[in-house]
Amino acid sequence: MDKKTRIVISGYYGFDNMGDEAILFAMINMLRANIKNIEIIVLSNNPQATKTAYNVKAVNRFSPICIISAIKKCDLLISGGGSLLQDVTSLKTIPYYLSIVQIAIFFGKKIVFYSQGIGPVNKYANRYLIKKIANKVNYIFVRDNKSKQLLKKIGVKTEIEVSPDPVFALKLDNNLNQKIKKEFQYKKNIGIYIRPWKNQNQIVNTISEAAQYLINQNYQIYLVCMQPSQDIQIARQVIKKVNNSSIKIIEKSLTINETLSYTANFDFIIGMRLHSLIMAIITKTPMIALSYDPKVENIMNEMHIEHQIRIEEISFELLKPQIDYIIQNLSLEKKKFIDIENIQKPIHYIKKLLL
């Protein structure tokens, strides 16, 4: 008799984005630690890579037959985490993720939104879809208060609770951390995590100037690409502009644990990718956040991170004072971090829901 508990996970998985893969990795670890005899099926852009990386089942996220088959056989659908319900990156994003939820509703499945960041939602049709479908799910966990407020404003009546991003549950692998520490040949190291954006020339010019300023103070600069297919291009533009042996791209494809360990070994980071900042919080590494999206600003405010610059305003004149302050107050900055609470709450709710 098949007594397995089947959970389908829907999110932005299989696109080689380190942040979203870290969300999936953390969720899988927590689910396995808390639910016995569990079978996890991930809707992925690259099912084979997802199967290999996490030892789960995975199906093509663009195959209606595979999606329907997986959801029809499951006990519960997790939608999340990440910024799934927003219409800034694409007008197809919200209809896609809500269509997955609608399939689960049709088959009478239990549904939980897991640590989602909601918004911006600019189109009336998308707000209507969210209201209509989100009111039929069992429970909603969002990762910041602004997401909760937006859902309530849209008209969502389902119970909503703020819960930290699952990535906060990751732990540093001490053996790996020591191994990576030995790779650093310099005493002073900075990690910079940037991504392409609309004002790319402005970003490249500012980061290049900041990198040169830090090199002049005997820092080694590492450009870390969390989504290589996108980030290597802008990293290479910075390298070309600085043209110094004290700045380099970490070219090899890093695992989630390796990225966490590299982050732990930097004196501080300058981070545009949200999950570079979350990894810095986990490892108590001081940071300057470059906010290109409300999700970055929202979570940094939730965590009381003061050093933030909006990406549309980025300039060396704004960045330099923040760099100087952190360099002068490194010990103080490291003591500011607090332990993150309630990371396991969504998992405990899911476990109870499945009983």
Side-chain angles (χ1 to χ4, degrees):
M1 189 180 228
D2 186 357
K3 294 182 180 179
K4 285 185 178 179
T5 298
R6 290 187 173 87
I7 294 180
V8 171
I9 303 178
S10 167
Y12 188 73
Y13 305 125
F15 288 93
D16 198 26
N17 182 307
M18 180 66 68
D20 290 282
E21 295 304 314
I23 292 172
L24 181 60
F25 180 63
M27 281 199 297
I28 289 169
N29 287 348
M30 286 190 283
L31 285 166
R32 283 178 171 156
N34 286 275
I35 300 172
K36 292 179 180 179
N37 204 20
I38 187 172
E39 183 175 271
I40 297 168
I41 305 98
V42 179
L43 308 185
S44 172
N45 181 60
N46 188 339
Q48 190 55 52
T50 300
K51 287 176 189 177
T52 303
Y54 309 112
N55 191 27
V56 295
K57 290 191 173 183
V59 300
N60 189 332
R61 76 196 298 271
F62 296 113
S63 167
I65 293 171
C66 291
I67 293 167
I68 290 168
S69 177
I71 291 175
K72 191 174 180 180
K73 296 173 185 175
C74 82
D75 298 288
L76 179 139
L77 170 73
I78 291 176
S79 179
S83 301
L84 307 186
L85 300 183
Q86 49 79 26
D87 55 14
V88 175
T89 58
S90 170
L91 293 177
K92 298 176 183 177
T93 303
I94 289 173
Y96 170 78
Y97 288 111
L98 291 181
S99 71
I100 304 297
V101 177
Q102 185 58 49
I103 292 168
I105 291 168
F106 177 80
F107 287 113
K109 303 300 179 180
K110 294 167 182 175
I111 305 157
V112 174
F113 283 9
Y114 193 134
S115 201
Q116 288 204 29
I118 311 296
V121 185
N122 297 312
K123 301 292 183 183
Y124 172 80
N126 285 335
R127 287 176 172 248
Y128 174 78
L129 279 174
I130 291 171
K131 177 182 176 181
K132 183 177 176 63
I133 294 174
N135 274 322
K136 296 178 182 178
V137 308
N138 295 85
Y139 210 86
I140 296 172
F141 291 96
V142 292
R143 63 187 181 191
D144 57 79
N145 277 298
K146 284 200 172 180
S147 293
K148 180 176 180 177
Q149 291 163 13
L150 178 55
L151 286 177
K152 285 185 171 296
K153 186 178 178 181
I154 287 171
V156 176
K157 305 296 183 185
T158 302
E159 190 75 25
I160 306 167
E161 194 165 347
V162 177
S163 175
D165 190 295
V167 176
F168 281 113
L170 295 181
K171 304 290 183 186
L172 202 58
D173 182 324
N174 290 324
N175 291 332
L176 180 61
N177 188 46
Q178 289 304 312
K179 180 183 175 184
I180 286 175
K181 189 187 287 285
K182 292 175 184 176
E183 293 182 17
F184 286 84
Q185 299 173 359
Y186 301 86
K187 288 185 177 179
K188 303 193 324 181
N189 302 283
I190 306 295
I192 300 179
Y193 305 69
I194 51 174
R195 58 158 294 160
W197 201 243
K198 299 164 189 174
N199 56 336
Q200 187 151 316
N201 289 339
Q202 188 180 349
I203 295 167
V204 169
N205 290 337
T206 301
I207 294 301
S208 301
E209 202 170 345
Q212 189 61 63
Y213 178 68
L214 287 161
I215 288 166
N216 292 343
Q217 298 182 65
N218 300 314
Y219 281 96
Q220 174 73 25
I221 311 299
Y222 293 87
L223 299 173
V224 185
C225 302
M226 295 190 77
Q227 189 169 10
S229 60
Q230 291 188 17
D231 301 352
I232 283 176
Q233 176 209 8
I234 187 170
R236 284 177 178 162
Q237 289 179 32
V238 173
I239 290 280
K240 187 176 179 181
K241 208 166 182 66
V242 177
N243 191 25
N244 189 296
S245 61
S246 290
I247 181 169
K248 66 179 183 178
I249 306 171
I250 299 178
E251 291 273 7
K252 66 177 181 178
S253 183
L254 299 177
T255 66
I256 293 157
N257 283 330
E258 283 172 338
T259 308
L260 197 60
S261 291
Y262 271 104
T263 305
N265 281 290
F266 294 133
D267 290 60
F268 67 93
I269 74 160
I270 299 170
M272 191 171 167
R273 289 274 183 192
L274 173 61
H275 286 91
S276 71
L277 301 166
I278 290 176
M279 288 185 178
I281 293 170
I282 295 168
T283 58
K284 299 187 180 347
T285 303
M287 76 198 75
I288 299 169
L290 305 179
S291 179
Y292 74 96
D293 186 285
K295 68 182 180 183
V296 177
E297 196 171 335
N298 292 347
I299 292 186
M300 292 303 100
N301 290 340
E302 295 274 336
M303 297 293 111
H304 306 291
I305 303 299
E306 300 166 4
H307 305 292
Q308 301 179 45
I309 296 172
R310 290 185 177 175
I311 202 67
E312 64 268 19
E313 300 169 356
I314 191 171
S315 68
F316 182 62
E317 288 69 32
L318 282 178
L319 190 53
K320 180 181 177 294
Q322 305 247 22
I323 290 171
D324 290 340
Y325 180 87
I326 286 185
I327 289 173
Q328 292 161 17
N329 297 277
L330 268 178
S331 298
L332 181 65
E333 288 294 304
K334 288 179 181 179
K335 290 177 183 175
K336 284 184 177 179
F337 295 108
I338 57 171
D339 291 331
I340 310 300
E341 298 177 350
N342 298 323
I343 299 172
Q344 296 272 0
K345 201 160 189 179
I347 297 295
H348 293 156
Y349 175 81
I350 287 167
K351 185 178 180 180
K352 186 177 177 182
L353 190 61
L354 288 166
L355 292 176

